[in-house]
């Protein structure tokens, strides 16, 4: 795996964790933070993961 994948995956899970903390403490902007975390995960980390697996299988 490349370092960029690990960076994007870490950022997405970190942002999701921060969003979960904001959700539990009922602080403002919690929905936006969780949404951004899911965007990073769905359009960043998951496609990069499958692309790396596809590239290594060839």
């Amino acid at each position: 795996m490349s370092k960029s994948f690990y960076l994007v995956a870490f950022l997405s899970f970190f942002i999701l964790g921060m969003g979960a903390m904001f959700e539990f403490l009922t602080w403002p902007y919690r929905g936006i933070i969780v949404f951004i975390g899911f965007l990073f995960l769905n359009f960043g980390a998951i496609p990069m993961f499958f692309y790396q697996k596809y590239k290594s299988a060839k």
Side-chain angles (χ1 to χ4, degrees):
M1 292 288 167
S2 64
K3 289 183 181 181
S4 61
F5 167 73
Y6 289 121
L7 179 66
V8 171
F10 173 77
L11 284 175
S12 64
F13 286 115
F14 181 77
I15 292 171
L16 281 172
M18 291 294 292
M21 183 187 75
F22 273 53
E23 188 72 39
F24 291 137
L25 298 174
T26 62
W27 288 351
Y29 307 112
R30 58 192 178 263
I32 296 170
I33 294 171
V34 171
F35 181 70
I36 291 171
F38 277 118
L39 282 179
F40 271 111
L41 184 66
N42 289 329
F43 297 112
I46 293 174
M48 286 176 76
F49 173 75
F50 285 116
Y51 179 71
Q52 292 290 333
K53 290 294 181 182
Y54 172 75
K55 200 165 99 174
S56 68
K58 268 190 151 180

